[in-house]
Amino acid sequence: MAEVETMDGTALLKSVQEMLNEEKWTRAALSNYSANQFKELDLILKEGQEEHSFDDLKKICDEHLGHTKNSIIALYISGMIALSRQIIDDAALVNLVTIFVDNHKWNIVKYLCERILDYGESKFALRTLAECYKNDNEEDAVFGIWERLVKVDYEEADIAKALAEHFEKLGNTGEAVDCYKKALHRYINKQLFTNVREIWAKLLEYCPEDIDFFLHVQKKIAKNISEDKAVLLLQDVYASCKKRGDINTAINILKLILQYDERDSLARREITECFREKYAEHSQLDEYIRISNLAQNYRNVHEAILDFEKHIAFDKGNFVFHRTWGVGRIARIEGDEIVIDFAKKRAHSMSLKMAVNALQTLSKNHIWVLKATWKKEKLHERVKNEPGWALKTVIKSFGNSCDIKRIKAELVPSVLSAGEWTTWSTRARDVLKSDPSLGVVPENIDLYTVRDRPISIGEKLYNEFKAERNFFDRVQTLRSFISQKDLEPDSEYFAEMFAYFSGYLRSLNQVNEQVAASYLLVKDLSGRYPHLASGLQMNFRQIFDHIEDVSQVFLSIKDSKLREEFLHHIKLFVPSWPDIYVKLFPYALNNSIIVQLEKEGHEDKIVAMAQSCFDNYREYQYREAVVWIYKNLNKEAWFARTGVSLEKQLITLIHILDISYREIENHRETSDNRKINKQIYTVLFKDRVLYSFIDSADYDTILRIFTFIEDVKDLDPADKMKLRSHIMDKHPDFKFFGDTEKTFVTRGLIVTALKYEEKQRQLTHIMEEEVPANSKEIAFALSLGDLRENAEYKAAKEKQDILNSTVAKLKDEIERAQIFDPNTVNIGRVSFGTIVALLNNSSNKAEEFTILGPWESDPDNRVISYLSPFGGAILNKKVGENFDFSMGDEKIAYTVQSISKFGF
């Protein structure tokens, strides 16, 4: 069967070669060609695909084109094979179509364009096809093609405008607006202001309330054209808002105009009139305009507006906040005097000037006002059950810009408990993602804002993209955008995001992780949307050859999918990929590397790589690789060839454990070393690998292993003791190296389960009751005024320091605590959980002590800690052993008479 396929493939190649020669010799005229002949060539292509002969077919055709550049057959076959493989170079088909366009063979041009479009949208094919339909006077077909074209050609403005006018005539306003918006963005990019202003006017006519769109676009105009032009267009928006009676938006537009030009006297007069209209019912309007000098050109306009808005918030019935007296309500204003009712200070009078400086005005829906005026139960239920409402309330309360940390501070513990917050915050984050009226501040991804008008999910994601400062966070946001079912990659938002990444590919002077990642991302998107391929003018090999340190670039790609693609492309396009895979393995720790090396017969390289990791474990990059190899590869058949015995593997892990402790102590790569430390500790102790190994090991091996464990200074002594006890259980007569009196230096604590639970209850009580109570004490003390003479504040702060210190100590101790298993008590020697009877040889009296931990220590009842000086002296002693203990100047001799188990 294989021979038949080879024969068929050979016959096909021979047939194509003959066709090419015949075409060359006969010099067939273009007039003799028809669409049917290309259909016959399509059958050849189909057969070539089935026979897996595409590579050979393309090679024959490309060689033929080397000396016969206008060969119709060669251009078509080579071009279609390239197109089917999504190769960027489409010169063959472009050349072929152009030949027939120049000869006005429109039926063939149509066929060729449609064949190209079978493989995805192509700007060239769509534009050419539209010309074909124009020549045939098929107007509807032309518009249909134009619709497709403007979705893939982000620079085409005139056709987008023509489409908009077409939809306008049909009465399809929605489609017309979409096309006008596309045209507007593209004319801005081309800096054609006359066209921009014409379309701006159209959009103001059709969608005057889409203020967010106009504000977004005016920034682009200011940047790409000029600020003066942006002001001209904003004036049109202002006139539209004023005409519709949207006074708040009109004021915001005027503020924006004044930001561009604070000396714009017309805008200043208009904003004064807008304020008069907005606050027409305010009792102090004229006075506040006068005081702020809002209408006087000699004062800075921004200061005047700020001053006016501060004053205008003071009116009867409005709420204010004082740092001492809290929330109050303005009872009345009489001339320059303002009277306020605070909860603890009714009818408080102060001058207006003092009020403006000392008080913060609050809206009636401010979270502080709600806390002061609503019943606690009502506010708790509303916040708990309506996270969307609560988020908007808090965010609007603080300048319409707020992060999660501030939201939590306002709600916990005054409205929600710490426990309720955990569940509530998860729901709240979902709302922040899905609610179209909530978004991020463009300059800061951590700050959320409430929008007057809901925005589309596309604009929401675009705003997040712009606010992101991290390259790989932007990658994730773009992925989120294209994953949305209702979003097409023809929007201006997508175009700008795509342009951000394709912009990294303009130069290969310095290829870093961002350039490499951009290439992989753009290539992936071009595969999904072939019309984007024009943004990819290079191949991976060119990218790779400009990378100076491939390991560093790989490590710096902080996206798992892109890392996988990077490895995949290395294998596909770099001949020396096996050596590069071996080099990258300690950084990648990816099983696919091993699988691919094995699959391609590079087992020797895997063996050498594993040996190298164990031999060079002291070098930072190999440590985690050793752990990974032990956990994932040491059972593989090829691993035996490394010559790394199980004993050597465990000893290497113990050495790395010791190194990681020291690195953590010296604050070097702390997070990575903690991760490695935890992994090894889990393997050796929690998974009981050491215990299993010791069970079958000989005396010398056990001694070596335990000696290495003893040398790990920062390892919890509880683990050392348990391992030692295990060895003694298996080998009662075992003699440890240097088996003399021991004093343990601890970083952990052996504790009983009872005490552990007690400490946890104590920590919970402090965190959930004492800390919130202290916060209230501090808040109350702050309300009393001057902190320099505030004894209540100082006392509350001192208590806060004590609580913080206690919490930190408890957390540390609980984290280090190791709950002792009563079933592991070893009465063959003095250890944790034993009762020891001693004879005091100095006084000839019997004494009895219980050995537990520092939490259980009770010297008055002869319960001593194994970490105390006496506990350390007695630890590990056997019945009949004598030892001395010095207490001050007195030296006491003891004999161990009996050891029994403590009753847990």
Side-chain angles (χ1 to χ4, degrees):
M1 185 67 181
E3 291 184 2
V4 173
E5 288 181 359
T6 304
M7 284 295 293
D8 287 347
T10 303
L12 178 66
L13 296 174
K14 185 178 179 181
S15 173
V16 170
Q17 186 67 65
E18 290 173 353
M19 290 171 63
L20 292 170
N21 292 334
E22 182 182 352
E23 178 192 43
K24 180 180 178 181
W25 294 330
T26 60
R27 298 176 181 265
L30 288 174
S31 58
N32 295 332
Y33 278 96
S34 68
N36 287 333
Q37 287 168 289
F38 287 100
K39 291 177 183 178
E40 291 174 6
L41 292 178
D42 285 335
L43 293 174
I44 291 173
L45 285 167
K46 183 180 179 183
E47 188 177 348
Q49 186 176 28
E50 291 171 352
E51 299 296 337
H52 306 291
S53 302
F54 265 9
D55 288 338
D56 293 328
L57 273 174
K58 192 172 189 308
K59 183 179 179 182
I60 288 173
C61 291
D62 289 345
E63 288 174 355
H64 188 74
L65 289 168
H67 52 77
T68 311
K69 65 178 183 179
N70 287 336
S71 166
I72 302 301
I73 295 171
L75 285 171
Y76 187 73
I77 292 176
S78 176
M80 291 306 294
I81 290 174
L83 191 63
S84 69
R85 292 181 170 178
Q86 295 186 348
I87 296 173
I88 296 168
D89 184 5
D90 60 354
L93 287 173
V94 171
N95 188 16
L96 180 63
V97 171
T98 303
I99 289 171
F100 286 103
V101 168
D102 291 344
N103 285 272
H104 307 291
K105 300 284 289 184
W106 298 115
N107 286 337
I108 294 176
V109 172
K110 275 185 190 178
Y111 182 83
L112 293 175
C113 288
E114 286 166 354
R115 287 291 287 127
I116 292 171
L117 293 171
D118 285 341
Y119 291 90
E121 300 292 59
S122 160
K123 290 184 279 188
F124 170 78
L126 288 168
R127 201 177 293 278
T128 307
L129 193 57
E131 289 301 315
C132 290
Y133 288 130
K134 267 189 181 180
N135 287 318
D136 293 342
N137 294 316
E138 297 182 45
E139 186 174 296
D140 289 342
V142 171
F143 285 119
I145 296 298
W146 279 0
E147 283 186 68
R148 292 165 66 184
L149 179 60
V150 296
K151 288 183 177 181
V152 298
D153 189 345
Y154 299 144
E155 297 179 1
E156 181 51 68
D158 292 338
I159 290 177
K161 180 188 173 190
L163 269 175
E165 292 167 346
H166 170 69
F167 286 124
E168 222 175 344
K169 289 177 183 177
L170 296 177
N172 191 339
T173 305
E175 291 291 344
V177 166
D178 285 344
C179 289
Y180 273 131
K181 285 182 176 181
K182 282 186 174 70
L184 180 64
H185 280 288
R186 295 166 191 187
Y187 282 131
I188 293 170
N189 292 337
K190 294 173 183 287
Q191 299 182 336
L192 298 175
F193 182 71
T194 302
N195 303 70
V196 168
R197 189 158 197 183
E198 179 187 352
I199 294 175
W200 186 273
K202 282 281 187 183
L203 290 171
L204 270 176
E205 177 186 344
Y206 284 124
C207 51
E209 295 181 353
D210 195 356
I211 298 299
D212 288 329
F213 169 78
F214 292 111
L215 293 180
H216 168 69
V217 172
Q218 67 83 23
K219 289 180 186 176
K220 200 171 175 181
I221 293 167
K223 181 179 178 181
N224 287 21
I225 303 177
S226 74
E227 292 185 353
D228 291 343
K229 302 300 185 188
V231 167
L232 282 175
L233 298 180
L234 284 172
Q235 288 170 349
D236 294 341
V237 178
Y238 163 69
S240 171
C241 293
K242 193 77 185 296
K243 184 178 179 181
R244 290 184 288 108
D246 186 355
I247 203 67
N248 288 326
T249 303
I251 289 171
N252 289 333
I253 296 296
L254 289 169
K255 286 180 180 179
L256 192 52
I257 291 172
L258 288 166
Q259 283 179 10
Y260 284 124
D261 182 7
E262 62 184 27
R263 292 172 296 179
D264 189 326
S265 57
L266 176 62
R268 185 165 190 155
R269 283 199 303 275
E270 289 294 329
I271 202 168
T272 303
E273 290 307 309
C274 284
F275 279 136
R276 286 187 181 281
E277 184 176 340
K278 180 177 179 178
Y279 298 107
E281 303 300 320
H282 198 289
S283 61
Q284 305 293 315
L285 175 62
D286 290 332
E287 179 64 12
Y288 290 163
I289 289 177
R290 184 189 67 77
I291 292 172
S292 65
N293 295 309
L294 183 62
Q296 307 303 318
N297 289 335
Y298 62 80
R299 187 176 186 192
N300 177 281
V301 68
H302 302 300
E303 293 177 2
I305 291 171
L306 185 64
D307 201 7
F308 172 79
E309 289 184 326
K310 270 187 178 180
H311 280 81
I312 204 70
F314 288 91
D315 200 13
K316 181 180 178 181
N318 289 357
F319 291 93
V320 293
F321 176 82
H322 188 274
R323 66 183 183 87
T324 301
W325 304 310
V327 175
R329 193 169 191 178
I330 300 173
R332 61 183 183 278
I333 299 177
E334 298 172 350
D336 190 41
E337 183 184 34
I338 185 168
V339 178
I340 306 162
D341 288 329
F342 293 102
K344 297 179 180 177
K345 197 173 182 70
R346 310 289 291 181
H348 179 73
S349 175
M350 62 172 68
S351 69
L352 178 61
K353 184 176 181 180
M354 180 179 289
V356 170
N357 292 325
L359 301 178
Q360 177 182 343
T361 56
L362 306 176
S363 72
K364 64 181 180 180
N365 295 317
H366 195 289
I367 187 64
W368 293 351
V369 173
L370 300 183
K371 286 180 184 180
T373 59
W374 284 23
K375 289 184 178 180
K376 187 173 181 179
E377 295 77 14
K378 177 184 176 183
L379 184 58
H380 174 267
E381 286 304 306
R382 185 84 187 268
V383 168
K384 185 177 179 180
N385 296 325
E386 298 181 42
W389 173 84
L391 286 168
K392 293 171 187 176
T393 298
V394 177
I395 292 169
K396 284 183 174 180
S397 296
F398 301 99
N400 203 19
S401 176
C402 205
D403 60 13
I404 288 291
K405 187 177 179 181
R406 181 60 187 267
I407 293 169
K408 182 179 181 180
E410 289 303 323
L411 298 180
V412 179
S414 58
V415 179
L416 299 172
S417 69
E420 288 174 321
W421 167 262
T422 304
T423 304
W424 186 90
S425 62
T426 302
R427 293 168 57 210
R429 289 180 192 278
D430 290 338
V431 172
L432 288 168
K433 288 180 181 178
S434 60
D435 193 323
S437 63
L438 289 167
V440 296
V441 174
E443 297 77 24
N444 191 334
I445 190 66
D446 296 322
L447 295 177
Y448 295 95
T449 187
V450 181
R451 298 187 175 275
D452 294 332
R453 287 161 291 276
I455 59 174
S456 67
I457 186 65
E459 186 177 353
K460 190 180 181 78
L461 287 169
Y462 171 77
N463 289 337
E464 289 180 14
F465 183 89
K466 297 293 284 185
E468 294 283 7
R469 292 294 173 262
N470 180 280
F471 176 91
F472 292 102
D473 287 340
R474 287 186 165 184
V475 171
Q476 291 287 59
T477 304
L478 178 57
R479 284 200 188 115
S480 296
F481 187 97
I482 61 178
S483 70
Q484 302 296 320
K485 292 181 180 179
D486 298 332
L487 298 181
E488 294 292 335
D490 66 328
S491 73
E492 298 305 320
Y493 299 128
F494 176 82
E496 288 192 36
M497 289 188 279
F498 182 81
Y500 170 80
F501 294 107
S502 61
Y504 279 94
L505 306 179
R506 291 177 188 144
S507 170
L508 293 181
N509 291 335
Q510 183 181 6
V511 174
N512 56 17
E513 69 280 2
Q514 293 176 336
V515 175
S518 292
Y519 172 84
L520 296 170
L521 184 63
V522 168
K523 185 179 179 186
D524 175 55
L525 292 171
S526 299
R528 299 187 196 194
Y529 315 111
H531 65 275
L532 298 175
S534 59
L536 204 61
Q537 302 299 327
M538 59 192 69
N539 58 46
F540 182 77
R541 184 62 189 272
Q542 291 174 295
I543 294 281
F544 189 82
D545 288 344
H546 283 80
I547 295 176
E548 293 183 4
D549 186 341
V550 66
S551 301
Q552 186 56 49
V553 167
F554 178 83
L555 269 177
S556 301
I557 297 175
K558 306 297 184 184
D559 182 275
S560 58
K561 290 182 181 178
L562 291 178
R563 278 191 173 188
E564 288 282 351
E565 280 301 305
F566 188 70
L567 289 173
H568 180 60
H569 277 66
I570 287 173
K571 183 176 184 296
L572 287 178
F573 302 109
V574 182
S576 59
W577 70 268
D579 295 324
I580 297 166
Y581 267 29
V582 167
K583 183 178 180 181
L584 288 178
F585 175 77
Y587 307 95
L589 299 180
N590 190 314
N591 195 54
S592 66
I593 288 180
I594 305 298
V595 170
Q596 292 299 327
L597 287 170
E598 271 192 295
K599 183 179 178 181
E600 300 295 334
H602 297 290
E603 191 173 285
D604 289 346
K605 290 185 181 294
I606 303 174
V607 170
M609 178 188 70
Q611 288 171 329
S612 176
C613 289
F614 277 93
D615 291 342
N616 298 290
Y617 71 87
R618 291 188 179 277
E619 294 181 34
Y620 176 75
Q621 68 266 31
Y622 292 108
R623 294 175 199 163
E624 191 172 359
V626 167
V627 182
W628 196 91
I629 290 170
Y630 174 83
K631 292 170 69 175
N632 297 281
L633 301 178
N634 72 349
K635 299 293 191 299
E636 296 293 327
W638 56 261
F639 191 81
R641 292 175 53 203
T642 65
V644 181
S645 65
L646 180 56
E647 180 184 351
K648 182 177 179 180
Q649 293 173 53
L650 295 179
I651 289 173
T652 304
L653 290 176
I654 294 168
H655 283 318
I656 297 174
L657 184 71
D658 187 32
I659 292 169
S660 66
Y661 275 129
R662 284 187 268 121
E663 296 280 74
I664 292 167
E665 186 177 355
N666 293 323
H667 305 290
R668 294 181 190 146
E669 304 291 346
T670 305
S671 59
D672 287 342
N673 276 299
R674 286 190 189 280
K675 177 183 173 184
I676 293 170
N677 184 283
K678 184 177 181 180
Q679 287 178 341
I680 297 177
Y681 179 85
T682 299
V683 167
L684 296 179
F685 295 98
K686 290 190 175 180
D687 295 344
R688 298 184 69 80
V689 168
L690 271 182
Y691 293 84
S692 299
F693 179 74
I694 283 170
D695 286 346
S696 58
D698 58 34
Y699 178 92
D700 290 338
T701 302
I702 296 172
L703 186 59
R704 276 195 300 275
I705 291 289
F706 189 78
T707 301
F708 284 125
I709 287 291
E710 279 282 73
D711 289 341
V712 182
K713 180 173 71 72
D714 289 325
L715 179 64
D716 195 326
D719 294 304
K720 295 180 181 180
M721 287 172 61
K722 288 178 183 177
L723 186 61
R724 186 184 183 102
S725 296
H726 184 80
I727 294 170
M728 292 303 301
D729 287 343
K730 295 290 182 181
H731 308 281
D733 298 326
F734 194 91
K735 296 293 183 184
F736 292 93
F737 178 76
D739 196 1
T740 58
E741 175 184 303
K742 294 184 179 291
T743 302
F744 286 85
V745 178
T746 185
R747 62 171 287 281
L749 294 171
I750 309 175
V751 302
T752 60
L754 196 64
K755 274 292 179 183
Y756 185 81
E757 291 171 4
E758 182 183 316
K759 292 289 184 179
Q760 283 192 314
R761 287 196 298 272
Q762 183 182 349
L763 177 62
T764 301
H765 174 76
I766 294 174
M767 293 292 291
E768 294 188 1
E769 295 187 31
E770 294 190 41
V771 169
N774 176 248
S775 298
K776 290 180 179 179
E777 291 172 1
I778 292 174
F780 175 73
L782 283 170
S783 71
L784 298 178
D786 191 351
L787 300 183
R788 291 171 297 180
E789 304 295 332
N790 194 328
E792 289 87 351
Y793 177 76
K794 291 178 181 177
K797 286 296 287 182
E798 285 173 5
K799 185 175 179 181
Q800 184 185 56
D801 291 340
I802 293 169
L803 288 173
N804 288 340
S805 175
T806 304
V807 166
K809 182 180 177 184
L810 276 172
K811 283 184 176 179
D812 179 62
E813 288 181 346
I814 289 171
E815 186 180 341
R816 293 190 295 122
Q818 302 286 329
I819 299 175
F820 185 76
D821 181 0
N823 295 321
T824 63
V825 173
N826 178 12
I827 60 173
R829 57 182 59 233
V830 178
S831 59
F832 189 99
T834 59
I835 299 172
V836 56
L838 303 176
L839 176 63
N840 184 328
N841 296 316
S842 302
S843 64
N844 202 31
K845 290 183 179 178
E847 299 179 11
E848 186 177 89
F849 297 95
T850 300
I851 312 300
L852 293 173
W855 283 358
E856 297 83 7
S857 179
D858 183 4
D860 292 340
N861 292 307
R862 295 192 171 260
V863 178
I864 62 171
S865 167
Y866 70 95
L867 294 175
S868 67
F870 187 67
I874 197 174
L875 216 58
N876 296 310
K877 296 296 181 287
K878 299 179 181 178
V879 174
E881 271 195 64
N882 298 312
F883 68 95
D884 295 331
F885 180 72
S886 298
M887 187 178 295
D889 296 332
E890 183 181 5
K891 188 174 184 179
I892 306 171
Y894 286 100
T895 300
V896 179
Q897 291 189 314
S898 67
I899 302 171
S900 58
K901 181 179 178 180
F902 171 69
F904 287 90

